Amino acid sequence: MKSTVVLESADVKAVAAAAEAEALAHGWAVTIAIVDAGGHLLHLNRLDGAPPISAHIAPAKAHTAALGRRESKVYEDVINGGRTSFLSAPSVEGLLEGGVPILKDGQCLGAVGVSGVKSSEDAQIARAGIAALGL
């Protein structure tokens, strides 16, 4: 049997606080979502001024990054590169940059998804949150 590392509540709180601090430092109104390795929502926070739709997009980006074990931007690039048939992949949403997996020793522990500003800035916020874990 293999041992599995999982995100604990304290980890989720640390990631959320660091991601929120990054967003607030830049004046960015976003929604931050954190999911476990199975894509199940552990945390959702829509900051003041974030568009309501971002509360749907952020968890979708996180879900995609967790299940795919890679940044959601990979899928956006695939589609923009002409492989539009990927849009028909079952149960995959949030195919936009801004979903970043939380990886430790090659194992996916979950992911952070952010929505509300430019996609590259969403990803920046997600990475800042993950950095709080010191992985």
Side-chain angles (χ1 to χ4, degrees):
M1 286 190 176
K2 292 183 180 182
S3 296
T4 302
V5 179
V6 296
L7 293 173
E8 296 181 337
S9 181
D11 300 322
V12 172
K13 289 176 184 174
V15 170
E20 182 175 339
E22 180 74 9
L24 293 176
H26 294 282
W28 294 334
V30 298
T31 295
I32 301 161
I34 303 169
V35 300
D36 66 13
H40 304 99
L41 191 62
L42 299 174
H43 172 88
L44 180 71
N45 185 15
R46 183 165 63 104
L47 301 180
D48 294 341
I53 196 167
S54 68
H56 292 279
I57 296 171
K61 289 179 178 183
H63 182 263
T64 295
L67 293 183
R69 306 331 198 214
R70 59 183 50 104
E71 292 200 25
S72 55
K73 183 181 186 328
V74 169
Y75 303 110
E76 180 179 8
D77 291 345
V78 165
I79 293 162
N80 288 341
R83 189 164 181 220
T84 56
S85 62
F86 192 80
L87 291 168
S88 67
S91 301
V92 181
E93 299 175 351
L95 303 172
L96 303 165
E97 183 177 9
V100 180
I102 302 170
L103 302 171
K104 178 176 173 60
D105 300 327
Q107 180 181 357
C108 183
L109 310 180
V112 179
V114 180
S115 178
V117 287
K118 289 191 263 182
S119 291
S120 61
E121 295 166 346
D122 289 342
Q124 176 182 330
I125 295 166
R127 287 189 201 98
I130 294 167
L133 296 176
L135 301 176

